[in-house]
Amino acid sequence: MTARILEGKVFAAQIKEEAARGVESIKKEFGITPSLAVIIVGENPASQVYVRNKHKTCEELGIRSEVVTMPENTTKEELIAEIDELNLDKSINGILVQLPLPAAIKAHEEEILNRIDPLKDVDGFHPYNVGKLVTGSPTLVPCTPAGCIKMLDFAGIEIDGKRAVIIGRSNIVGKPMLHLLMSRHATVTVCHSHTHNLAEVTREADILVAAMGKPKFVTADMVKPGSVIVDVGINRNAPKKLVGDVDFDNVKDIASAITPVPGGVGLLTVAMLMQNVVKAARLQLQ
Ligand code: NAD
């Protein structure tokens, strides 16, 4: 068997189409253009690429985008003051602080992110939004896991009643993915670096989500024949060469569907961010 390849660009286009329709309806109903402010601190080249990509996608969908560039030596207080200003600015619907922060303020990341108005928190990282997700009333949900669920839906892959296994328990991917899959009535197991007999658990998965950050870690013997493999991992194993957490070449012969890296889940994240900007604008207008 050769798996169906779940091409990120196909599903990202569908997610962006939905977002563009949302932008249009807000413009018609309220006469405003949804807007996103992205704060980038320092000169991390990868972050600069991500921010440019977000800006470009906003423009493509008719979302107003503002990039706030702050120097490497920005203090925690200066960054918080900028967030406070954007929180009060009624013309801004979404605020995102590009991570990672420079080393000097990295330790304050939680305090900084928690300063963002929860209604403008388009990354979905604020404890208020995390609480809404956990209690079953999701509003602004982290973009990568939310994008994966959209992809499964667009691909016509059933979640209800399925056995799902997630490798990784981060706040950005693993934990929100647990709640999203559980809310869709999957039976979910979360594995992490202390899990014993990992392969035994992953072999039970109808849907296996790899989000650990270990190149090609998930090998064919860890996968149940016919399962759906969602590879969230992005690992740089040589300059300009990206690989996922899954040994794609071998696993694709066993799975029924699989996301490639690059060209898979990575493309869904920015598309889903656009939907969160639309959602944030609606939350503020209600
Ligand atoms: P993280 O480092 O915060 O978490 C990694 C998780 O993997 C931890 O919970 C850890 O317990 C688990 N883990 C590590 N080694 C393990 C092992 N040997 N066995 C079992 N579990 C193990 O990472 P993250 O932020 O969740 O990101 C995970 C991966 O996803 C990274 O490669 C990252 O680059 C990628 N990522 C991609 C996107 C995207 O847009 N596609 C978004 C976010 C993260």
Side-chain angles (χ1 to χ4, degrees):
M1 178 200 284
T2 294
R4 168 182 176 195
I5 311 299
L6 301 170
E7 299 280 0
K9 62 173 188 265
V10 172
F11 302 105
Q14 286 176 282
I15 295 170
K16 284 196 272 184
E17 250 169 53
E18 276 188 355
R21 281 199 294 275
V23 172
E24 276 316 303
S25 72
I26 285 179
K27 280 185 181 166
K28 251 191 221 138
E29 262 179 73
F30 302 98
I32 73 139
T33 300
S35 65
L36 171 68
V38 177
I39 305 175
I40 176 166
V41 187
E43 319 234 300
N44 181 314
S47 293
Q48 287 174 338
V49 172
Y50 290 137
V51 169
R52 262 203 305 277
N53 195 9
K54 285 166 187 168
H55 180 70
K56 216 178 80 207
T57 313
C58 280
E59 286 192 331
E60 196 187 310
L61 301 191
I63 291 172
R64 200 165 62 76
S65 156
E66 193 175 300
V67 178
V68 180
T69 308
M70 302 184 81
E72 184 81 24
N73 61 358
T74 298
T75 63
K76 177 188 92 175
E77 289 72 21
E78 286 166 338
L79 179 50
I80 284 179
E82 182 61 45
I83 293 171
D84 285 346
E85 208 173 291
L86 293 168
N87 279 341
L88 291 174
D89 185 341
K90 286 205 170 359
S91 73
I92 296 292
N93 301 119
I95 304 170
L96 182 156
V97 176
Q98 184 65 45
L99 300 177
L101 290 170
I105 55 171
K106 206 178 170 58
H108 305 292
E109 184 181 297
E110 193 180 345
E111 182 186 351
I112 289 164
L113 296 183
N114 289 358
R115 193 73 173 213
I116 296 173
D117 179 343
L119 295 183
K120 297 189 177 187
D121 167 40
V122 285
D123 259 337
F125 296 159
H126 193 285
Y128 172 84
N129 288 317
V130 175
K132 297 282 280 180
L133 174 62
V134 172
T135 52
S137 321
T139 43
L140 295 169
V141 175
C143 301
T144 303
C148 292
I149 299 290
K150 280 262 175 198
M151 175 193 68
L152 294 175
D153 285 343
F154 281 133
I157 291 167
E158 178 86 44
I159 299 173
D160 195 321
K162 292 284 155 51
R163 182 77 199 268
V165 174
I166 303 162
I167 317 178
R169 58 176 165 184
S170 71
N171 291 334
I172 296 175
V173 186
K175 283 186 210 158
M177 187 61 106
L178 156 68
H179 293 289
L180 289 170
L181 287 167
M182 196 161 52
S183 73
R184 295 291 299 275
H185 313 298
T187 302
V188 192
T189 304
V190 179
C191 301
H192 45 76
S193 49
H194 291 237
T195 299
H196 292 170
N197 304 324
L198 181 66
E200 228 170 73
V201 185
T202 57
R203 271 197 298 269
E204 289 182 5
D206 302 309
I207 300 171
L208 179 61
V209 180
M212 58 199 310
K214 296 259 150 71
K216 299 187 181 185
F217 187 95
V218 177
T219 46
D221 59 313
M222 296 172 70
V223 168
K224 174 174 164 175
S227 57
V228 173
I229 312 293
V230 179
D231 189 353
V232 181
I234 299 179
N235 309 289
R236 210 168 283 276
N237 71 345
K240 299 204 167 183
K241 177 113 177 66
L242 295 182
V243 293
D245 287 351
V246 177
D247 176 11
F248 180 87
D249 290 337
N250 294 309
V251 171
K252 75 174 184 340
D253 296 332
I254 294 170
S256 64
I258 185 168
T259 61
V261 178
V265 168
L267 300 170
L268 307 175
T269 303
V270 177
M272 209 55 219
L273 173 67
M274 302 298 120
Q275 290 215 358
N276 272 357
V277 175
V278 171
K279 210 187 262 181
R282 276 214 171 268
L283 288 171
Q284 289 151 45
L285 291 163
Q286 273 163 8

